[in-house]
Structures are given as C-alpha cells and as structure tokens.
Amino acid sequence: MTDQAVKAAAHEIGRSRLRKEDARLITGQTNWTDNIQVAGLLHLAVLRSPMAHARLTRVDVSPALERPGVVAAFTGADLAEGLGSLPCAWPVTEDIVLPDHPPIAVDEVRHAGDPVAV
C-alpha cells in the first residue's frame, strides 16, 4: 500500500459514511421481498430436521393443515416423483458419481436442518 493509500484509509476509519439510500431504508419506504403484495401470493415455510442423521418413517403434516391460512402441506414423499436431485455446483471430475440429493428429504435425513416438509 502506498503512503497516500494508508493516509486515505486512516482518514476513513471511525467515520460515518453518507449513503443516499439510508433514508428510505430506515423509514421503511423501500421494497423488500417480504412487503411486495401480489394477488394470490402465498408464503412457504420449511420444516427442518433437528436430527443430524435419521431415517424418515413418517412425517405428519395434518397439524399444519389445521392452522388458519394454510392451504397445503407436503412431505418429501408427497413430492418425490417430481423433485429430482439438487445439482452439484462443483463437480470435481467429469466422471464423478454423486448420490441423489433431493431438495426435501424423502427416506433419510442427511444433516441437521435438512428440509422434511413444506
């Protein structure tokens, strides 16, 4: 770093930065995905496993269906046929063999936080 760059950085340390978007962010005058209203819009909640590794024998979504405003509830088994598998973002080799990784656990939970129902 040059001396000039060091001096410029030192000048900024501990100072507030003026940003043009702050007023609308602080006063709630901006759009977030949470406050956009579209006719027929539904929200999705994900039930995640507290277990790090487990076999799924049954996931009961009937209590969720009894809640006001809930229009549907699905388990991995309900959606298994159309789910497919999450792609590997970084295949190490061209011939890599990857196990299926459904976006919602069907038969087995592979890590704590693995989705089991929506």
Side-chain angles (χ1 to χ4, degrees):
M1 227 183 202
T2 67
D3 285 342
Q4 185 178 2
V6 171
K7 288 178 185 176
H11 178 71
E12 293 295 322
I13 294 173
R15 295 188 61 195
S16 296
R17 301 289 304 170
L18 295 176
R19 301 181 322 178
K20 63 182 179 182
E21 71 274 11
D22 282 353
R24 67 184 164 84
L25 293 173
I26 293 170
T27 59
Q29 301 300 311
T30 193
N31 281 331
W32 303 98
T33 55
D34 191 48
N35 64 8
I36 295 173
Q37 297 296 317
V38 179
L41 177 72
L42 297 174
H43 293 271
L44 176 111
V46 179
L47 176 66
R48 296 182 178 277
S49 171
M51 307 299 289
H53 184 78
R55 293 201 192 287
L56 285 175
T57 56
R58 158 177 100 84
V59 177
D60 184 8
V61 297
S62 58
L65 293 169
E66 295 169 4
R67 303 284 302 191
V70 172
V71 297
F74 303 102
T75 67
D78 296 332
L79 303 172
E81 190 174 313
L83 282 178
S85 183
L86 293 173
C88 177
W90 185 23
V92 179
T93 63
E94 288 185 24
D95 60 342
I96 190 170
V97 177
L98 298 168
D100 284 341
H101 188 84
I104 302 173
V106 176
D107 299 319
E108 180 181 13
V109 171
R110 295 185 171 132
H111 59 86
D114 208 1
V116 296
V118 295

